Amino acid sequence: MILDEAHRNSFYSDPANEGQPLTPTPMPAMMNFDRGMADTTNVNHLRNILRTGIFQDVSLSASSGASRTKFYFSGTYKRTVANIRGSEMNQYNFRVNIDHTWNKSIRFGGTIAPSLNREYRLGSGTVTTAGGYGAAISTNLPIYPLYNADGTYFNPWANPLAFRDRDLYNNNSRRTRLLGSVYFEADLAKGLKFRTNAQREDWNQIGLTFIEGLLRYRTANSGSISPFPDDQLARGMHQNSFGWMNSIESFFTYDRAFGQHKVNAVTGMRFSKNDALYEAMYGENFANSNFLYPSQAAFIDQGFQTGAVGEPAANLGYFLRVNYKYREKYNLSFIVNRDGSSRFGRNHRFGTFPAVSGGWIISDEDFLKRSRSINFLKVRASVGLTGNAQGINNVIAIP
């Protein structure tokens, strides 16, 4: 076996052992395991770790309404069964749109879109003291059986089956999200429109992880390894994070054609503000495995108590974009953005970012239209300038 070969190579690589009889191959030091079990056990643990993944997606939508008011509803259910056994996710998404035409010049409406995401997964960590599933996979060997003679898990902290036992390991998370928005749009004059959009998003994510003491590979005070920790050392972790974002955008759009001249321009502003909070609690020493939350533990780990309150962040920006086109062949564009953020320094809250470009569709010129080599090819040439408050950069392109 591979262990024998590795031991033989290691033993005779020492010059002092030359000509000496080979010593017995050391076996991993663990309870209920010996050379006889190693010789009679050959488990393909990958079959207990991997499987064929499954993805399901079911969608339903409906729309209705009269000439002035229209409704739209959609619902989606997604289920993902991961190729790692024991991991899966379920998603529920809904959306309702309402659009109303007040008269020929005014339109408004709104959207509400709640969603729910539930996930159960096995962590990929390699920290054995925390019950890392990655460590269970990497330290498992084909010579290790799955169960002891009495039906209990063999070497549980390196046994993937033990981690799939939800009485021993539980890692659930739930994320909810609610998005709502409204808009108002009006035709002010021929070719001139005004539109404003306001949006609110709230989200909340809760995660609960429980690791039974049997899966926690720990060191006793004497320095020796405790092979079967009792469930008094079970560990629980509860995480909660939530946040929100408000945003609004208002802009004017002008789109007109004057003979062979076309002008399209957009100008407006956007504003957003968001905040978030994160909390976590760790607990140990549970009365039994029926208690999962850290608050139910006899010992709450003060060293891992966390609570992070995010500082609200705000962003404000103004923008202007003007496109001019002549005879569908000559193009000129000008864009300028002025953006500011509360995260920037007090003396550098805003920055200005201009850009200008020009284009020419050469292949549409009369002197090239008869050329056979470009009958099916559009040849464009453009030159542009981009910059910020510190300088201007040249951009030249011939796509």
Side-chain angles (χ1 to χ4, degrees):
M1 57 166 30
I2 296 178
L3 283 177
D4 290 332
E5 184 178 350
H7 174 62
R8 183 183 302 110
N9 294 337
S10 176
F11 182 81
Y12 287 116
S13 65
D14 186 351
N17 294 329
E18 184 177 355
Q20 299 296 320
L22 182 66
T23 60
T25 302
M27 289 289 100
M30 59 185 62
M31 296 181 64
N32 304 321
F33 186 75
D34 53 26
R35 179 58 192 251
M37 181 177 290
D39 289 338
T40 57
T41 304
N42 185 15
V43 179
N44 184 352
H45 290 285
L46 282 179
R47 293 180 179 176
N48 300 311
I49 296 171
L50 302 178
R51 63 184 171 188
T52 301
I54 300 175
F55 178 78
Q56 296 175 321
D57 190 338
V58 180
S59 298
L60 173 67
S61 63
S63 60
S64 180
S67 59
R68 298 180 61 182
T69 304
K70 296 181 179 181
F71 300 89
Y72 173 80
F73 167 82
S74 68
T76 302
Y77 167 69
K78 296 181 180 181
R79 180 171 182 254
T80 303
V81 178
N83 62 341
I84 296 179
R85 295 181 183 273
S87 297
E88 62 182 72
M89 180 173 62
N90 293 276
Q91 295 177 286
Y92 307 85
N93 300 286
F94 302 93
R95 187 180 186 91
V96 177
N97 293 347
I98 301 177
D99 298 282
H100 180 71
T101 301
W102 181 261
N103 53 41
K104 65 178 183 179
S105 300
I106 298 177
R107 297 163 294 279
F108 54 85
T111 299
I112 184 168
S115 65
L116 171 64
N117 186 348
R118 302 182 67 95
E119 184 176 7
Y120 180 85
R121 61 184 177 180
L122 297 173
S124 59
T126 58
V127 181
T128 55
T129 55
Y133 185 60
I137 296 175
S138 62
T139 59
N140 210 1
L141 297 174
I143 59 176
Y144 295 163
L146 298 175
Y147 300 98
N148 295 310
D150 59 0
T152 58
Y153 292 111
F154 174 83
N155 194 21
W157 53 81
N159 190 331
L161 284 185
F163 278 83
R164 295 217 312 271
D165 188 335
R166 298 195 179 184
D167 288 332
L168 300 180
Y169 183 89
N170 208 313
N171 186 356
N172 292 302
S173 68
R174 184 187 71 221
R175 180 182 176 91
T176 57
R177 175 177 174 266
L178 180 61
L179 176 66
S181 64
V182 294
Y183 76 89
F184 173 83
E185 186 177 72
D187 297 329
L188 304 180
K190 186 176 182 180
L192 180 62
K193 294 182 179 181
F194 171 77
R195 183 182 176 99
T196 184
N197 306 307
Q199 179 173 289
R200 167 81 181 196
E201 179 181 4
D202 289 272
W203 56 268
N204 181 32
Q205 180 165 321
I206 298 175
L208 176 64
T209 303
F210 176 81
I211 305 173
E212 186 61 87
L214 196 65
L215 301 183
R216 297 190 64 203
Y217 192 72
R218 66 184 178 93
T219 302
N221 293 332
S222 61
S224 62
I225 299 299
S226 176
F228 290 102
D230 57 37
D231 64 356
Q232 297 300 308
L233 292 176
R235 184 178 180 85
M237 178 177 66
H238 185 261
Q239 301 178 83
N240 184 28
S241 58
F242 54 91
W244 56 267
M245 183 183 72
N246 292 328
S247 63
I248 186 171
E249 182 180 51
S250 299
F251 55 92
F252 294 89
T253 302
Y254 184 73
D255 194 353
R256 287 291 304 274
F258 305 92
Q260 299 189 50
H261 303 270
K262 292 184 178 180
V263 178
N264 177 272
V266 179
T267 184
M269 59 81 66
R270 50 182 171 254
F271 174 79
S272 65
K273 187 175 182 179
N274 63 277
D275 197 6
L277 173 67
Y278 171 79
E279 298 175 326
M281 177 184 292
Y282 296 74
E284 285 188 344
N285 196 354
F286 291 83
N288 55 59
S289 59
N290 292 322
F291 298 93
L292 302 178
Y293 291 88
S295 59
Q296 298 170 326
F299 172 70
I300 296 179
D301 194 340
Q302 299 293 334
F304 287 94
Q305 292 270 34
T306 62
V309 179
E311 181 181 353
N315 299 279
L316 175 63
Y318 304 92
F319 54 89
L320 171 65
R321 184 190 72 230
V322 179
N323 294 325
Y324 168 73
K325 182 179 292 187
Y326 174 62
R327 297 179 61 185
E328 298 293 337
K329 295 186 294 185
Y330 311 104
N331 304 283
L332 182 63
S333 297
F334 173 75
I335 302 173
V336 60
N337 289 278
R338 182 163 175 79
D339 297 312
S341 173
S342 62
R343 299 184 185 276
F344 296 164
R346 184 176 297 274
N347 297 326
H348 299 87
R349 287 285 169 86
F350 283 87
T352 302
F353 308 92
V356 61
S357 65
W360 177 23
I361 305 178
I362 305 174
S363 57
D364 284 351
E365 294 293 347
D366 293 337
F367 60 85
L368 286 179
K369 283 185 177 180
R370 297 180 181 180
S371 174
R372 294 181 179 179
S373 61
I374 60 171
N375 279 342
F376 302 99
L377 179 66
K378 285 282 187 180
V379 181
R380 300 171 182 264
S382 62
V383 178
L385 296 174
T386 63
N388 52 33
Q390 282 71 42
I392 299 293
N393 302 316
N394 296 321
V395 178
I396 301 177
I398 304 179

